[in-house]
Amino acid sequence: MNILQYESKIWATADLLRGSGIKESEWPSFMMPFFALVMIESRLIRMFEELKTEVGEEAFGQIQKEDLYDLIKDKGQGYNSYIFEKDLSLQGICQNDKSFETDLDGYLKGFDGETKDLLGVDAGDGEKFLDIRGVITKLKAKKVLLGYTKLWAEIDLKPFNNSEITTLEEHIKRKWADISAETAGEQYTPDDVIALISEIVASKIEESDKLLKIYDCTCGGGNMLFGVEDRINQKFKRLTQTYGQDWNDALYALAKIESRFRPDSKIEHGNTLVDDKFDNEEFDVVIANPPYGVSWSGYSKDIQNDKTERFKFLPSISDGQLLFMQHLISKLDSNGIGVVVHNGSSLFSGEAGSSESNIRKWMLDNDLVEALIQLPTEEFFNTNIYTYLWVLNKRKDHIKQGKVLLIDASNSATPLKKKKGEKKKELAKAAIQTVVDSLTSYTDNSLSKLVKKEHLYFNKQTIMLTNVDVNGLSFESQLPLKEDKKTSEKKQASSMVLTPVLLTDGERELTEFSITTFDEDRYTSLLDYFELNIKPFISALDYKEQPLKVSTPLLSYWYDNAQETLIKEDLKTGKKENLGCGKIIIKSTYKKKTKKLPERIAISIELTPNYEKDYEITPFDKDESINQQIISKHMNKYVGRQFKYLENTVGVEINFKKEFYRKTKLRSTKDIQSELIKLNKKLIELENEFFL
């Protein structure tokens, strides 16, 4: 028998939900608890039958009830007293309409405490996880509880082993993923991607008597964690142990239930980023498909106050992907490897000096990244974007040290005959093997490009430009030299402070620049006058956009937009002089009364050069002198104005489009002209036919 025969039967239970007016996006929340129920029941009954065989029919009949439960509990898979004592399964309960609800209640209460918690049997204020009690209440209100339960009771999974049941579970989860990104499939990883991740992991491990510990910090329902383990177990005899944690109640419950029927698996509930349930553990293999673009604002204080030192930098609060990346790196043992799924933002979001760029730089500085693999679009069920695999390696081979392999598998997918949500492509076995072969060979080929890690670095050189007028002059040349009182060194002043007697914007004039009086009929205080009148007036002044003039006893100053220069006019002779490109800075402040000075409003005016902060992006070289030569050459070529070097920040960005750019061959002008002539003839023929 093929267990996948039940896939359509399970999905048919949704027809009853549709007929009851339940929205499609809510179906998984109704289906998950019942699917978990039939899985648990089938495994418990099979375990009970196996126990009978182990002990022997005759001896089994003589075992005391207490001893029998001890044997069952030793299996660590849970129990159900209703099944074991009354020999009554879900199917049997559904055969008696009159006692159905009583029997169903007793059946659910007959589970062990942990199973009841995971199913959400006992309504209360705590975690409801799968919330089967809430689902039952809603189904009763719709008067379809018995009919719905009967449909699930017809699904007999007893003949199938754990691996087969897991396979069915993954197919159903994928169906849920098709429905809504807000439900169980939100982080569902397709089988072909799991297969690729498994092959990558398999290529880096070997047979050993050492336990292989595999960890997924956002394990969801466990499809990727258990899928990788199963594939590793098919290739190696090595013992494996799986660890997973997830915050989603229902998905955690499904993974936890599944874990109990595996030889060695530990699944915990909680937010990995603030409550790491495995804080004292390190792992041989880490895998994860953390959520994309999900805000961590709800627990930002916990992250900011984290004492584990796992977060070297904190990325944008709108996307926590790189928090998960740093966490996973902290969980790797000294020889650990990892494969992490991300979208493109983790490769290039944030400029040089940003947390995102600094995280990437920290990873490369510490040589933690072995490879980056670009997957095709339309690979996942809930998104059609490009996704990427980060291959981490805590101890790279000597030939791989200081290097990163970029693999472009974006064109390696095979179209699906029938799309599954947003998923329209898959990686066939041959494509997966090609990617793994490229990773193993670690050289350039048609699919991959091997680069030194510094190739992914860049300089963000900040400069201070000195703006000049149409004649190439800056006000900087007008500034006097001042002597430093401490060093006696002469330095150029940063501004020219004026002693104004008049300030006008063409409409209003100010002749007082230390104001101590105000109109008491209009304002309650000098501070009130400042806040409501002077401050907004000064703030709104714009020396470029208004006919703004500042006069001292002998001179007048303004800005000439046409020449982009400050003008100085001698008020006696009328002689004008261009001072060069600069700014008129006007400030107003309110000052409280002191022992020597009264309460007052102070207005200051100064002329300054017009400086503009800018930056240039250049390639990077780890040799400091060569790096400076690269920057200087770039500046000489592209910056035509006078400038001063400020700080240089080194950033990291991985741009697959640039690295794998393929120049499109342009058609010849002759071919284009020939085609245009043909099209024109065709248009004339169509016009003639129309008029005829």
Side-chain angles (χ1 to χ4, degrees):
M1 292 175 67
N2 185 344
I3 195 169
L4 292 182
Q5 67 180 314
Y6 281 114
E7 184 179 347
S8 57
K9 195 173 185 69
I10 288 171
W11 202 245
T13 64
D15 293 337
L16 191 145
L17 299 176
R18 181 190 289 112
S20 301
I22 295 168
K23 291 188 294 185
E24 186 178 20
S25 61
E26 295 177 2
W27 290 355
S29 65
F30 283 83
M31 297 174 73
M32 278 188 221
F34 277 86
F35 185 58
L37 201 61
V38 297
M39 285 198 305
I40 293 168
E41 181 186 271
S42 68
R43 282 164 157 158
L44 289 181
I45 292 174
R46 191 171 67 245
M47 179 263 288
F48 197 59
E49 295 299 323
E50 289 171 355
L51 193 60
K52 283 182 182 178
T53 304
E54 287 176 21
V55 175
E57 286 285 344
E58 187 176 337
F60 190 83
Q62 298 174 4
I63 297 175
Q64 295 295 315
K65 180 180 175 181
E66 293 78 11
D67 295 334
L68 176 61
Y69 274 96
D70 285 341
L71 288 172
I72 291 170
K73 289 175 183 178
D74 286 343
K75 295 283 185 180
Q77 299 177 357
Y79 64 84
N80 186 308
S81 58
Y82 220 72
I83 295 173
F84 298 153
E85 293 175 23
K86 295 193 176 187
D87 195 24
L88 200 58
S89 65
L90 200 61
Q91 191 171 36
I93 289 169
C94 292
Q95 290 174 358
N96 190 334
D97 294 7
K98 292 181 180 179
S99 64
F100 165 70
E101 289 189 14
T102 302
D103 285 338
L104 180 61
D105 186 63
Y107 170 84
L108 292 173
K109 289 179 177 177
F111 282 109
D112 59 282
E114 184 181 64
T115 303
K116 285 193 288 186
D117 286 343
L118 294 171
L119 289 172
V121 170
D122 297 321
D125 297 330
E127 302 287 359
K128 292 182 172 60
F129 297 117
L130 289 168
D131 194 24
I132 196 167
R133 186 65 71 186
V135 169
I136 286 172
T137 300
K138 292 174 184 176
L139 292 170
K140 282 174 70 175
K142 298 280 187 181
K143 302 188 184 305
V144 294
L145 176 60
L146 176 58
Y148 190 67
T149 309
K150 277 183 177 179
L151 291 174
W152 283 100
E154 292 171 4
I155 297 164
D156 182 13
L157 303 181
K158 291 190 292 295
F160 305 100
N161 61 33
N162 288 341
S163 179
E164 290 169 320
I165 291 174
T166 301
T167 300
L168 176 63
E169 184 181 359
E170 299 317 320
H171 277 256
I172 297 304
K173 284 181 189 172
R174 194 269 301 158
K175 286 272 193 177
W176 290 335
D178 289 351
I179 292 176
S180 170
E182 297 175 358
T183 58
E186 184 174 10
Q187 289 304 314
Y188 184 84
T189 309
D191 288 344
D192 54 323
V193 176
I194 294 174
L196 173 57
I197 292 170
S198 302
E199 291 297 332
I200 291 170
V201 172
S203 72
K204 298 186 173 305
I205 62 174
E206 53 189 25
E207 291 288 6
S208 169
D209 56 3
K210 182 190 172 188
L211 182 68
L212 186 74
K213 295 165 68 176
I214 308 171
Y215 171 63
D216 185 344
C217 66
T218 54
C219 69
N223 66 303
M224 185 159 79
L225 178 62
F226 298 137
V228 169
E229 181 186 38
D230 287 343
R231 287 169 171 85
I232 294 299
N233 287 335
Q234 289 169 11
K235 289 178 172 287
F236 298 91
K237 295 178 181 178
R238 189 169 175 178
L239 293 175
T240 55
Q241 186 177 45
T242 50
Y243 295 74
Q245 183 170 340
D246 203 85
W247 202 9
N248 181 291
D249 293 353
L251 293 179
Y252 154 73
L254 287 175
K256 182 68 175 179
I257 289 166
E258 173 66 28
S259 72
R260 297 192 312 181
F261 299 96
R262 288 181 167 265
D264 198 350
S265 182
K266 298 178 181 180
I267 303 295
E268 296 289 348
H269 181 252
N271 183 347
T272 298
L273 296 177
V274 299
D275 185 19
D276 177 15
K277 301 295 186 181
F278 306 110
D279 59 335
N280 293 318
E281 295 279 0
E282 288 185 338
F283 304 97
D284 303 288
V285 178
V286 300
I287 53 174
N289 182 9
Y292 312 148
V294 174
S295 169
W296 48 278
S297 60
Y299 42 92
S300 58
K301 286 187 178 178
D302 294 310
I303 296 290
Q304 290 158 0
N305 296 325
D306 185 81
K307 306 299 183 186
T308 64
E309 299 183 354
R310 54 188 165 152
F311 304 126
K312 310 302 177 185
F313 302 94
L314 300 182
S316 167
I317 205 161
S318 63
D319 189 352
Q321 282 184 89
L322 288 171
L323 287 175
F324 286 107
M325 179 72 89
Q326 293 175 90
H327 167 76
L328 285 165
I329 290 171
S330 75
K331 305 304 286 184
L332 283 170
D333 69 16
S334 58
N335 296 306
I337 58 170
V339 185
V340 189
V341 188
H342 281 306
N343 69 7
S345 70
S346 61
L347 274 69
F348 44 72
S349 62
E351 59 184 15
S354 68
S355 291
E356 290 83 358
S357 178
N358 286 339
I359 292 167
R360 292 189 289 269
K361 187 173 183 297
W362 168 75
M363 292 170 67
L364 293 180
D365 283 348
N366 289 278
D367 217 3
L368 296 168
V369 183
E370 180 174 324
L372 282 154
I373 304 168
Q374 180 173 249
L375 299 178
T377 57
E378 301 173 332
E379 246 293 345
F380 283 72
F381 299 107
N382 301 116
T383 179
N384 60 6
I385 62 173
Y386 281 114
T387 47
Y388 301 83
L389 299 184
W390 289 73
V391 181
L392 308 174
N393 195 335
K394 204 74 174 287
R395 181 177 265 183
K396 293 161 75 170
D397 296 340
H398 179 71
I399 60 168
K400 297 178 180 179
Q401 289 174 9
K403 298 174 185 175
V404 178
L405 185 69
L406 305 177
I407 301 177
D408 181 13
S410 60
N411 298 311
S412 301
T414 303
L416 290 172
K417 291 180 180 178
K418 183 180 179 182
K419 74 169 190 172
K420 302 172 181 177
E422 293 290 338
K423 184 174 175 62
K424 299 173 186 175
K425 304 172 186 174
E426 66 178 357
L427 292 167
K429 285 184 178 179
I432 289 172
Q433 192 57 52
T434 302
V435 172
V436 176
D437 288 345
S438 293
L439 182 60
T440 304
S441 64
Y442 216 69
T443 56
D444 288 344
N445 59 35
S446 59
L447 204 66
S448 61
K449 180 178 180 180
L450 185 62
V451 299
K452 291 181 179 179
K453 64 181 184 180
E454 290 84 10
H455 173 76
L456 305 173
Y457 294 34
F458 64 91
N459 295 301
K460 181 186 175 184
Q461 177 63 62
T462 307
I463 54 176
M464 186 65 80
L465 292 162
T466 302
N467 289 326
V468 294
D469 64 13
V470 292
N471 297 312
L473 296 175
S474 166
F475 183 69
E476 193 175 54
S477 62
Q478 302 291 325
L479 294 173
L481 293 176
K482 286 189 174 182
E483 188 175 296
D484 190 306
K485 292 180 179 179
K486 291 182 179 180
T487 63
S488 297
E489 184 182 349
K490 287 190 176 181
K491 291 183 179 179
Q492 194 171 44
S494 60
S495 66
M496 180 187 290
V497 179
L498 301 181
T499 307
V501 294
L502 174 67
L503 168 65
T504 178
D505 65 349
E507 294 181 4
R508 177 177 177 178
E509 292 184 352
L510 276 185
T511 56
E512 200 176 351
F513 297 90
S514 181
I515 302 170
T516 57
T517 60
F518 62 95
D519 186 344
E520 294 184 1
D521 293 332
R522 297 181 62 186
Y523 304 101
T524 60
S525 65
L526 188 66
L527 178 60
D528 189 40
Y529 177 49
F530 171 72
E531 292 289 349
L532 298 178
N533 188 309
I534 298 297
K535 185 179 178 181
F537 169 65
I538 297 297
S539 298
L541 293 175
D542 189 327
Y543 71 94
K544 284 188 176 181
E545 301 299 325
Q546 298 169 313
L548 183 67
K549 273 193 177 184
V550 180
S551 298
T552 64
L554 300 175
L555 302 167
S556 184
Y557 299 89
W558 71 90
Y559 184 82
D560 186 329
N561 254 317
Q563 299 184 76
E564 298 179 332
T565 191
L566 290 173
I567 303 293
K568 179 177 73 173
E569 181 182 4
D570 190 309
L571 294 176
K572 285 186 177 181
T573 64
K575 183 181 177 183
K576 298 181 181 68
E577 180 185 351
N578 289 12
L579 301 179
C581 187
K583 297 179 180 180
I584 303 174
I585 307 295
I586 306 170
K587 297 177 183 177
S588 63
T589 55
Y590 166 77
K591 298 191 176 184
K592 292 181 180 180
K593 180 181 178 181
T594 65
K595 289 181 179 180
K596 294 183 178 181
L597 295 170
E599 175 191 32
R600 66 203 183 281
I601 298 170
I603 299 172
S604 63
I605 303 175
E606 58 183 323
L607 307 181
T608 70
N610 189 338
Y611 296 121
E612 182 183 349
K613 208 171 185 181
D614 200 1
Y615 66 86
E616 293 288 328
I617 301 297
T618 76
F620 172 83
D621 194 283
K622 63 181 179 181
D623 185 295
E624 198 170 322
S625 61
I626 296 175
N627 194 50
Q628 189 54 54
Q629 288 174 24
I630 292 170
I631 295 171
S632 299
K633 186 177 179 181
H634 178 93
M635 297 299 175
N636 291 336
K637 185 175 181 180
Y638 295 107
V639 182
R641 285 179 282 170
Q642 180 183 339
F643 69 90
K644 293 177 181 177
Y645 283 108
L646 299 179
E647 72 277 2
N648 179 44
T649 307
V650 178
V652 169
E653 178 183 272
I654 300 102
N655 188 331
F656 270 78
K657 185 175 283 189
K658 182 177 77 173
E659 298 295 344
F660 290 93
Y661 173 74
R662 296 174 181 87
K663 190 175 181 180
T664 304
K665 187 177 180 181
L666 298 176
R667 296 168 63 196
S668 69
T669 306
K670 187 177 180 181
D671 289 343
I672 295 171
Q673 287 176 335
S674 175
E675 187 173 340
L676 286 171
I677 291 169
K678 289 178 183 178
L679 287 170
N680 192 48
K681 286 181 179 179
K682 184 67 176 175
L683 283 170
I684 292 169
E685 290 172 6
L686 289 170
E687 285 177 0
N688 291 335
E689 288 177 14
F690 176 76
F691 287 117
L692 286 173

